[in-house]
Short mmCIF file of all heavy atoms in Angstrom, two decimals:
data_model
loop_
_atom_site.label_atom_id
_atom_site.label_comp_id
_atom_site.label_asym_id
_atom_site.label_seq_id
_atom_site.Cartn_x
_atom_site.Cartn_y
_atom_site.Cartn_z
N GLY A 930 -18.12 -25.88 5.87
CA GLY A 930 -19.23 -26.83 5.83
C GLY A 930 -18.71 -28.23 5.54
O GLY A 930 -17.64 -28.39 4.95
N GLN A 935 -18.97 -36.79 2.78
CA GLN A 935 -17.55 -36.51 2.58
C GLN A 935 -16.66 -37.31 3.53
O GLN A 935 -15.46 -37.45 3.28
CB GLN A 935 -17.28 -35.02 2.77
CG GLN A 935 -17.88 -34.15 1.68
CD GLN A 935 -17.69 -32.68 1.99
OE1 GLN A 935 -18.46 -32.10 2.73
NE2 GLN A 935 -16.63 -32.08 1.46
N GLY A 974 -15.63 -23.36 -3.02
CA GLY A 974 -14.57 -24.36 -2.93
C GLY A 974 -15.15 -25.53 -2.17
O GLY A 974 -16.32 -25.52 -1.78
N CYS A 975 -14.35 -26.57 -1.95
CA CYS A 975 -14.87 -27.76 -1.28
C CYS A 975 -13.71 -28.55 -0.69
O CYS A 975 -12.68 -28.71 -1.35
CB CYS A 975 -15.63 -28.62 -2.30
SG CYS A 975 -16.29 -30.14 -1.61
N LEU A 976 -13.87 -29.04 0.54
CA LEU A 976 -12.81 -29.82 1.17
C LEU A 976 -12.52 -31.11 0.40
O LEU A 976 -11.43 -31.66 0.51
CB LEU A 976 -13.17 -30.16 2.62
CG LEU A 976 -13.23 -28.96 3.59
CD1 LEU A 976 -13.73 -29.40 4.96
CD2 LEU A 976 -11.88 -28.26 3.69
N SER A 977 -13.48 -31.56 -0.42
CA SER A 977 -13.28 -32.77 -1.22
C SER A 977 -12.67 -32.46 -2.60
O SER A 977 -12.39 -33.38 -3.37
CB SER A 977 -14.60 -33.52 -1.41
OG SER A 977 -15.04 -34.04 -0.19
N HIS A 1017 -24.77 -26.10 -0.98
CA HIS A 1017 -23.60 -26.87 -1.40
C HIS A 1017 -23.54 -28.20 -0.63
O HIS A 1017 -23.34 -29.27 -1.22
CB HIS A 1017 -22.35 -26.02 -1.15
CG HIS A 1017 -21.04 -26.71 -1.38
ND1 HIS A 1017 -20.14 -26.31 -2.34
CD2 HIS A 1017 -20.46 -27.77 -0.76
CE1 HIS A 1017 -19.08 -27.11 -2.31
NE2 HIS A 1017 -19.24 -28.00 -1.36
N GLU A 1018 -23.72 -28.13 0.69
CA GLU A 1018 -23.65 -29.36 1.52
C GLU A 1018 -24.82 -30.29 1.22
O GLU A 1018 -24.67 -31.50 1.24
CB GLU A 1018 -23.62 -29.02 3.01
CG GLU A 1018 -22.48 -28.10 3.46
CD GLU A 1018 -21.12 -28.53 2.95
OE1 GLU A 1018 -20.88 -29.73 2.77
OE2 GLU A 1018 -20.28 -27.63 2.72
N HIS A 1021 -24.05 -32.50 -1.62
CA HIS A 1021 -23.23 -33.66 -1.26
C HIS A 1021 -24.10 -34.85 -0.86
O HIS A 1021 -23.79 -35.99 -1.19
CB HIS A 1021 -22.31 -33.33 -0.07
CG HIS A 1021 -21.05 -32.61 -0.45
ND1 HIS A 1021 -20.11 -33.15 -1.30
CD2 HIS A 1021 -20.56 -31.40 -0.07
CE1 HIS A 1021 -19.10 -32.30 -1.44
NE2 HIS A 1021 -19.34 -31.23 -0.71
N LEU A 1026 -21.42 -32.79 -6.63
CA LEU A 1026 -20.31 -31.91 -6.27
C LEU A 1026 -20.40 -30.60 -7.04
O LEU A 1026 -20.99 -30.57 -8.12
CB LEU A 1026 -18.98 -32.58 -6.60
CG LEU A 1026 -18.67 -33.85 -5.81
CD1 LEU A 1026 -17.55 -34.64 -6.48
CD2 LEU A 1026 -18.28 -33.50 -4.38
N PHE A 1027 -19.78 -29.54 -6.50
CA PHE A 1027 -19.91 -28.24 -7.18
C PHE A 1027 -19.25 -28.25 -8.55
O PHE A 1027 -19.66 -27.49 -9.43
CB PHE A 1027 -19.41 -27.09 -6.29
CG PHE A 1027 -17.93 -26.86 -6.30
CD1 PHE A 1027 -17.38 -25.80 -7.00
CD2 PHE A 1027 -17.08 -27.68 -5.59
CE1 PHE A 1027 -16.02 -25.56 -7.00
CE2 PHE A 1027 -15.71 -27.46 -5.59
CZ PHE A 1027 -15.18 -26.40 -6.30
NI1 LIG B 1467 -18.12 -29.53 -0.45
#
Side-chain angles (χ1 to χ4, degrees):
Q935 292 175 277
C975 179
L976 292 175
S977 293
H1017 174 117
E1018 303 311 329
H1021 277 300
L1026 295 164
F1027 83 104

